[in-house]
Amino acid sequence: MPVWCCRCSLAGHFRNYSDTETEGEIFNSLVQYFGDNLGRKVKAMPLVEETSLLEDSSVTFPVVIIGNGPSGICLSYMLSGYRPYLSSEAIHPNTILNSKLEEARHLSIVDQDLEYLSEGLEGRSSNPVAVLFDTLLHPDADFGYDYPSVLHWKLEQHHYIPHVVLGKGPPGGAWHNMEGSMLTISFGSWMELPGLKFKDWVSSKRRNLKGDRVMPEEIARYYKHYVKVMGLQKNFRENTYITSVSRLYRDQDDDDSQDRDISTKHLQIEKSNFIKRNWEIRGYQRIADGSHVPFCLFAENVALATGTLDSPAHLEIEGEDFPFVFHSMPEFGAAINKGKLRGKVDPVLIVGSGLTAADAILCAYNSNIPVIHVFRRRVTDPSLIFKQLPKKLYPEYHKVYHMMCTQSYSVDSNLLSDYTSFPEHHVLSFKSDMKCVLQSVSGLKKIFKLSAAVVLIGSHPNLSFLKDQGCYLGHKSSQPITCKGNPVEIDTYTYECIKEANLFALGPLVGDNFVRFLKGGALGVTRCLATRQKKKHLFVERGGGDGIA
C-alpha cells in the first residue's frame, strides 16, 4: 500500500536548490522546528511518489490545511515564508493608516499589531483583519478607485512553517466546478492572490480583454497556475477526502482562553514530543485506478478552509427528492446542454433571490425556456443583492431584477410567456406528476405544471468530519454552519476557533464569501502561528543547555 512520505512534503521545500549548503541550512531549520529526534526520522524515511499519502504515525505536521481553494492557497503561500512589506514609495490614501504603517516600515505586516492597524477601518467584511488586508491590497476599492497595492512581497525561507494542504480536486477548489458560461460577480483583480496579478496572467492567455469581470473557468486555471508558479505544489495533495478530524487530548488549560500558549508546566517535555499531537486527521486518497487508499495524519494545528459550497441547502418539503428537482447550477446547466428541456412547453421553477438564482434565470431565458421565479422577499427589500450592484457593471443582473419587479404574477392574468415572478411566495410541495404547490404570504395556494425545478437558496459546508457536523463551532451551536446566518465563531485577529484551541477557520466559514476578503484570514492565521513558533523557540532556549537553538 502506498504511503505519503514526510520527506516528500518537507524535503521538497528545498529540492529545487542545487547548492548543498543552502539545502543543509534549510533542512536544519526544519530540524530546529521539529526537534532532533524527528529530524533523524525524516532523513531515514524512504522517498516515494509525491501523490501518495503519509502513513508513518511518528510524524506530526505543524499545520494541516483542509481545503485547497483560494483560502487554503493563500494560507499556504504565507506559511511558505512569503512576507508583505510596505513598498518603499507607497502612500496609502487613508492618512491615519498610512501613518501607522510608517511607524514600522521595516517590519512585515505579519510582524505588526493587526488590531492596532485595523482600528477604525470600515469595509464589507465583519472581520477587521480582512478589511485591513483588503485595503492594503486594493486601497479605496469600494469607492471605485483602482489604486495599486501598497505592499510588496519577499520570500523569507526561515519563516517557512511545514504544512500540507488537502483537497478533493486540483488547487482552486470549488472554482473548478462552477458553471463556465457566467461571469464572476467580482472584478478579476479582486479574485487575484498575492504576488501574481490576474491581469498579467490573463493577458498572456487571451488577447481580447473586454471587461473587468471574467469566467469562473479562468479563475480556476489562474489558481492552479498560481500554486505552480509560486512553488507551492509540494504542499498540496489532491483527490483527498477527509472522514474524521478528532482531538487526541485536551490540556487542562485548553479552556482558559486567556493563555493558549505554552505554559511553564511544559518545561520538562522531551524535544521529540515538542510538536504536540493535538489532532488526528483520517481520510482516504482516490488514486488513478479509482481505488481508495486510507491515511492518518497528526497535526499540531488544523486550518479549516473548506468553503461553503459542498452541500446545497434544501427546502425540506414533500417531493423535493424527485429527479426533476435540481439543487445546483451545474445540474441545471447539464440538463439544458443535454437537451432534456428543449421544446418543453411547461416552465422551469427557479427558487431563490440571490445571484445564483439569477444566473439560472439567465441560463433558462437565453435557452428560450419559460421561467416561474419564486422568492420569499418583497421586490423592494433593501437587502436584495441586486440593490447593491451598480447597473453599468452588472447589466445582466439588473435585467433580472427589472423582470422581478415588472413581470410579477397576478390573479387576473396567466403566466407570461418568458418569465413570471412570484414575490413573497414559497413552495409547499412537489408532486410526482411534476406539479408544484405554491403559497403566497396571504395563504393563497396555486398549482403549476413544471418541466423542472431548480432550488438555489444557498449552501452549507460539509463538516461531517467534525463532531456534531461542526455545529458547536458556530455562534449558534445548535444550528448548522452557514456563511451568513451562523459562521464559525473565531478570534477576529488570529482566526482561531473560540471553542477549540489549535483549530482555525477562514474564508466563507467565517463569513468572508468574497476572495478579496478571505486573504485576511491567511494573514491572521500566519501571524498567530509565527508568533507561537517564536515563543516555542524562546521556551526551548530557556529550557536547558541542550535545547534547540
Side-chain angles (χ1 to χ4, degrees):
M1 178 181 292
V3 296
W4 185 6
C5 172
C6 173
R7 185 173 171 185
C8 293
S9 301
L10 304 183
H13 172 57
F14 51 79
R15 185 175 296 149
N16 294 329
Y17 295 86
S18 58
D19 182 77
T20 54
E21 183 177 354
T22 303
E23 287 187 6
E25 289 173 354
I26 298 174
F27 186 81
N28 286 339
S29 72
L30 299 181
V31 173
Q32 285 179 5
Y33 194 98
F34 280 107
D36 292 333
N37 190 34
L38 178 56
R40 288 193 295 272
K41 290 178 182 176
V42 170
K43 285 183 277 189
M45 296 178 77
L47 187 64
V48 297
E49 294 181 9
E50 288 202 290
T51 55
S52 57
L53 282 175
L54 175 68
E55 211 171 74
D56 187 315
S57 60
S58 64
V59 175
T60 301
F61 282 90
V63 186
V64 170
I65 302 169
I66 301 176
N68 64 355
S71 295
I73 295 172
C74 193
L75 180 54
S76 176
Y77 176 78
M78 298 190 72
L79 293 180
S80 294
Y82 287 93
R83 290 292 183 266
Y85 288 84
L86 186 66
S87 297
S88 57
E89 298 179 0
I91 300 177
H92 197 282
N94 183 319
T95 54
I96 297 176
L97 176 59
N98 190 70
S99 64
K100 292 180 180 179
L101 294 169
E102 289 288 354
E103 292 171 9
R105 176 179 281 274
H106 61 290
L107 293 177
S108 80
I109 303 300
V110 173
D111 296 316
Q112 297 188 40
D113 185 340
L114 300 183
E115 185 172 1
Y116 172 63
L117 294 178
S118 303
E119 188 180 12
L121 297 179
E122 296 181 353
R124 295 191 199 176
S125 171
S126 59
N127 295 312
V129 177
V131 175
L132 168 66
F133 210 28
D134 177 66
T135 196
L136 295 175
L137 294 168
H138 307 286
D140 283 355
D142 287 334
F143 296 105
Y145 296 105
D146 190 22
Y147 293 138
S149 169
V150 298
L151 302 177
H152 74 281
W153 294 81
K154 295 180 181 178
L155 176 57
E156 299 177 344
Q157 298 278 5
H158 59 283
H159 286 312
Y160 176 80
I161 297 179
H163 62 280
V164 64
V165 186
L166 305 177
K168 295 177 182 177
W175 284 95
H176 290 279
N177 303 321
M178 293 185 185
E179 184 67 24
S181 61
M182 302 299 171
L183 293 173
T184 60
I185 185 66
S186 297
F187 299 149
S189 61
W190 290 358
M191 313 296 287
E192 68 191 19
L193 297 179
L196 179 63
K197 288 187 175 296
F198 181 80
K199 284 184 179 179
D200 294 344
W201 176 82
V202 79
S203 63
S204 67
K205 304 297 178 183
R206 57 182 170 103
R207 296 178 182 177
N208 253 343
L209 299 177
K210 294 182 179 179
D212 290 320
R213 294 168 63 206
V214 294
M215 299 287 189
E217 61 187 33
E218 289 181 303
I219 297 297
R221 290 201 304 270
Y222 165 80
Y223 291 146
K224 189 174 181 179
H225 176 76
Y226 181 92
V227 169
K228 182 179 180 180
V229 77
M230 293 300 174
L232 307 179
Q233 310 104 303
K234 56 191 168 288
N235 304 318
F236 282 72
R237 293 298 180 270
E238 302 177 16
N239 302 315
T240 58
Y241 297 79
I242 310 302
T243 57
S244 170
V245 175
S246 56
R247 192 88 177 181
L248 289 179
Y249 69 89
R250 298 177 185 275
D251 285 351
Q252 292 179 353
D253 62 350
D254 267 358
D255 293 329
D256 183 4
S257 59
Q258 298 301 314
D259 183 13
R260 289 177 174 171
D261 294 329
I262 291 179
S263 61
T264 54
K265 75 172 187 175
H266 290 108
L267 284 176
Q268 304 303 319
I269 197 168
E270 294 181 12
K271 289 184 295 180
S272 60
N273 295 323
F274 189 62
I275 299 291
K276 292 194 297 182
R277 289 186 172 187
N278 291 323
W279 298 100
E280 177 190 78
I281 301 100
R282 290 185 176 272
Y284 63 88
Q285 182 181 36
R286 195 177 64 230
I287 57 178
D289 64 3
S291 60
H292 294 172
V293 180
F295 65 84
C296 176
L297 304 178
F298 295 99
E300 181 181 9
N301 302 282
V302 170
L304 302 174
T306 61
T308 58
L309 295 177
D310 285 315
S311 303
H314 284 56
L315 296 168
E316 305 296 342
I317 60 173
E318 176 192 344
E320 195 172 2
D321 57 350
F322 285 130
F324 65 88
V325 182
F326 306 122
H327 290 86
S328 72
M329 267 300 294
E331 283 182 308
F332 182 48
I336 291 178
N337 293 335
K338 292 176 181 177
K340 292 182 178 180
L341 303 177
R342 188 178 298 126
K344 297 285 186 180
V345 176
D346 297 320
V348 166
L349 171 70
I350 296 175
V351 184
S353 58
L355 296 180
T356 308
D359 286 340
I361 292 166
L362 291 168
C363 189
Y365 189 89
N366 294 333
S367 300
N368 297 313
I369 300 171
V371 172
I372 291 176
H373 183 200
V374 174
F375 48 99
R376 291 179 177 269
R377 299 182 186 181
R378 293 174 287 109
V379 291
T380 55
D381 191 322
S383 64
L384 283 173
I385 185 65
F386 308 99
K387 291 183 170 290
Q388 304 171 35
L389 304 177
K391 289 184 179 181
K392 289 184 178 180
L393 295 177
Y394 305 96
E396 75 278 29
Y397 289 133
H398 279 276
K399 175 183 177 180
V400 171
Y401 181 57
H402 179 73
M403 291 194 298
M404 290 167 62
C405 295
T406 61
Q407 296 182 217
S408 58
Y409 179 83
S410 68
V411 292
D412 300 325
S413 62
N414 295 321
L415 294 177
L416 299 173
S417 60
D418 55 354
Y419 170 94
T420 308
S421 70
F422 287 78
E424 298 184 271
H425 280 69
H426 66 276
V427 184
L428 274 182
S429 64
F430 294 105
K431 303 300 181 182
S432 58
D433 57 357
M434 298 186 71
K435 290 181 180 178
C436 70
V437 182
L438 307 183
Q439 186 174 39
S440 69
V441 68
S442 63
L444 185 64
K445 297 178 182 178
K446 309 173 188 68
I447 299 177
F448 295 99
K449 184 80 163 63
L450 308 174
S451 61
V454 195
V455 178
L456 300 168
I457 55 172
S459 58
H460 303 303
N462 180 3
L463 298 176
S464 59
F465 51 80
L466 292 171
K467 72 174 184 179
D468 300 328
Q469 309 281 315
C471 294
Y472 76 105
L473 298 173
H475 288 263
K476 305 168 187 174
S477 58
S478 62
Q479 299 180 18
I481 299 296
T482 60
C483 176
K484 293 181 180 179
N486 189 34
V488 173
E489 188 178 10
I490 56 167
D491 180 298
T492 52
Y493 298 100
T494 67
Y495 285 74
E496 187 172 25
C497 296
I498 294 295
K499 296 163 185 171
E500 198 72 89
N502 305 107
L503 182 65
F504 298 81
L506 62 163
L509 289 175
V510 299
D512 288 330
N513 217 16
F514 291 99
V515 173
R516 56 181 285 206
F517 292 116
L518 59 78
K519 291 171 275 194
L523 173 62
V525 174
T526 301
R527 170 166 168 70
C528 177
L529 294 176
T531 301
R532 290 180 182 177
Q533 183 177 353
K534 289 178 184 177
K535 290 182 179 180
K536 286 178 183 179
H537 287 164
L538 287 174
F539 146 69
V540 173
E541 288 173 355
R542 295 170 181 172
D546 61 344
I548 307 168

